Amino acid sequence: MKRRVVIEETVGETRAAVYEGRKLVELHLDRWSDFRKPRIGEQWTGQVVAIDASIGGLWIALGSGPNGLLSFKGQRDLPRLTEGERVDVIVAKEAIAEKGPVLRHVAEASREKPGVVTALSLRERLDRRFPELAYEDAPVGIFDTATERQLAIPGGGSITIERTQALIAVDVDKGGSKTVMDCSVGAAKLILSQLRLRGLGGLIAIDFPNLRQSKQRSTLIRLMEEMAETDPASIRIAPFSRFGVVEMTRGQDGPSIDAMLNDRFGEPTVETRAIRALRQLEREAKITAGAKMTLSVDQPVWVWLEDAPFDWRAPMTERLGARFTVELGDSVQVKGDR
């Protein structure tokens, strides 16, 4: 299958959209603020901080972020390690929320202190995920609308996606769809595509409209299983419950796009709003070449930019020249003055 990646590197983040043929299937995001975060596929030197027999594994300090878990299970060549020892590991699963990364053993320690041994860029991680990718450098604007809670189902009806700490809840509304079955089929296709697109995983509960016939329920489950085969993640789908709910799980190797962009209430974080403001400044400055630009931002964004976890002014100056200023205002807007 031919895959291509549209990738955009801006001040503060790198965005990537993966297409299979003409279909957008995945979104990936790297934030500059996460530059010390252990990424999937990277090699790190860690130090054993605890041996936990109750979970059958070791807690490993990596020198950045929460401690990672190195399980005894499936580690054939794992040496007998003691607290304080150093060891090289590969990140098999990135930290998600409060849970640290999942690790697998590689070799004896190659560094004197915990830290990254082999870092991987977003392009390099995508190359490992998919072979023979074709890259195109271009704007990736879909992130601004990629985490909407409510989406229309083609043919009628809608779905609402709620991200909670325990699970992903999806409600299906029949709306103007002709039949319950038509709505359910359309919803199933949309839900599975959205889970992959956003990188959502864990336990997912889907409340479909009332499908009374067992044959229809079985048909829908088979259809979902067939669609799940095209997803690189591991997916398990349970039959309809007595209350008409379908439970499923989807493997997750890192935080979702929703979790990276939004807070737990689904609203953009201050960092997201600040990086969007910088993106808007750069876009407007390129349109009005040579003009002096003023980026006006509200109080939360102003505070974040003043105390940002990375230097954004130098790279922005390198891109635009010393022709922009940032001022405190009531909202985010960009003005150009020749």
Side-chain angles (χ1 to χ4, degrees), residues 12-13 29-39 42 44 64-65 94-95 119-120 125 255-256 259-261 271 275 304 309-310:
E13 66 184 16
L29 179 69
D30 262 12
R31 283 269 170 88
W32 289 13
S33 56
D34 290 333
F35 73 101
R36 294 186 62 194
K37 175 184 176 181
R39 299 288 192 176
E42 291 184 341
W44 285 64
S64 179
E94 296 178 17
L120 298 175
R125 298 201 308 276
S256 67
M260 295 181 72
L261 295 178
E271 180 178 9
I275 292 178
W304 192 94
F310 55 83

Side-chain angles (χ1 to χ4, degrees), residues 303-312:
V303 171
W304 192 94
L305 289 173
E306 286 295 299
D307 194 30
F310 55 83
D311 176 18
W312 59 268

Side-chain angles (χ1 to χ4, degrees), residues 18-331:
V18 180
Y19 290 83
E20 291 179 348
R22 296 184 177 180
K23 183 180 180 182
L24 174 63
V25 293
E26 291 184 5
L27 295 174
H28 295 266
L29 179 69
D30 262 12
R31 283 269 170 88
W32 289 13
S33 56
D34 290 333
F35 73 101
R36 294 186 62 194
K37 175 184 176 181
R39 299 288 192 176
I40 189 168
E42 291 184 341
Q43 183 172 333
W44 285 64
T45 294
Q47 186 171 26
V48 179
V49 294
I51 300 172
D52 194 336
S54 65
I55 60 173
L58 307 166
W59 291 108
I60 308 290
L62 299 174
S64 179
N67 294 336
L69 175 64
L70 177 60
S71 175
F72 297 140
K73 186 177 180 181
Q75 304 281 345
R76 295 181 180 179
D77 301 322
L78 183 64
R80 184 179 293 275
L81 298 169
T82 59
E83 290 187 17
E85 276 194 79
R86 289 173 291 107
V87 63
D88 271 15
V89 293
I90 292 287
V91 180
K93 183 177 179 180
E94 296 178 17
I96 301 176
E98 302 302 321
K99 297 180 180 179
V102 175
L103 313 170
R104 59 182 176 85
H105 172 254
V106 179
E108 298 304 314
S110 57
R111 288 172 49 97
E112 294 184 0
K113 295 181 179 180
V116 64
V117 177
T118 305
L120 298 175
S121 67
L122 179 55
R123 288 179 186 252
E124 290 170 327
R125 298 201 308 276
L126 288 173
D127 285 336
R128 293 190 176 198
R129 183 173 176 81
F130 300 114
E132 300 181 359
L133 284 175
Y135 286 90
E136 174 187 347
D137 291 293
V140 183
I142 191 173
F143 279 78
D144 297 336
T145 57
T147 60
E148 292 182 345
R149 291 177 57 253
Q150 191 173 74
L151 299 100
I153 302 171
S158 64
I159 65 170
T160 302
I161 301 174
E162 296 282 358
R163 179 172 58 92
T164 73
Q165 187 171 350
L167 52 77
I168 306 295
V170 185
D171 179 64
V172 181
D173 186 350
K174 179 177 177 292
S177 184
K178 292 182 179 179
T179 68
V180 171
M181 189 60 180
D182 287 342
C183 174
S184 298
V185 169
K189 293 179 179 179
L190 182 58
I191 291 166
L192 286 172
S193 66
Q194 285 292 312
L195 294 177
R196 181 181 177 188
L197 182 71
R198 304 183 185 198
L200 292 166
L203 176 63
I204 299 123
I206 308 171
D207 185 11
F208 283 102
N210 189 15
L211 283 174
R212 298 182 179 180
Q213 298 181 21
S214 59
K215 183 178 180 179
Q216 289 182 324
R217 292 187 173 195
S218 298
T219 298
L220 186 62
I221 295 297
R222 285 197 301 270
L223 176 64
M224 293 178 67
E225 291 172 340
E226 291 173 3
M227 289 186 290
E229 292 177 0
T230 63
D231 192 327
S234 174
I235 293 179
R236 299 177 63 186
I237 303 172
F240 273 83
S241 73
R242 60 182 295 189
F243 300 111
V245 174
V246 171
E247 295 180 3
M248 60 176 287
T249 59
R250 183 179 184 273
Q252 192 174 11
D253 55 20
S256 67
I257 295 297
D258 295 59
M260 295 181 72
L261 295 178
N262 303 333
D263 60 22
R264 63 190 185 93
F265 302 107
E267 296 298 322
T269 64
V270 176
E271 180 178 9
T272 293
R273 295 180 58 236
I275 292 178
R276 284 177 180 173
L278 295 177
R279 178 185 173 87
Q280 184 179 348
L281 170 63
E282 185 174 352
R283 183 175 62 248
E284 295 292 333
K286 289 180 178 179
I287 294 174
T288 55
K292 293 184 178 180
M293 309 301 298
T294 301
L295 172 62
S296 178
V297 298
D298 57 28
Q299 181 72 24
V301 173
W302 168 270
V303 171
W304 192 94
L305 289 173
E306 286 295 299
D307 194 30
F310 55 83
D311 176 18
W312 59 268
R313 292 182 183 274
M316 186 65 78
T317 301
E318 184 178 345
R319 288 168 178 250
L320 306 181
R323 60 185 181 97
F324 68 89
T325 57
V326 180
E327 66 178 21
L328 180 62
D330 297 327
S331 61

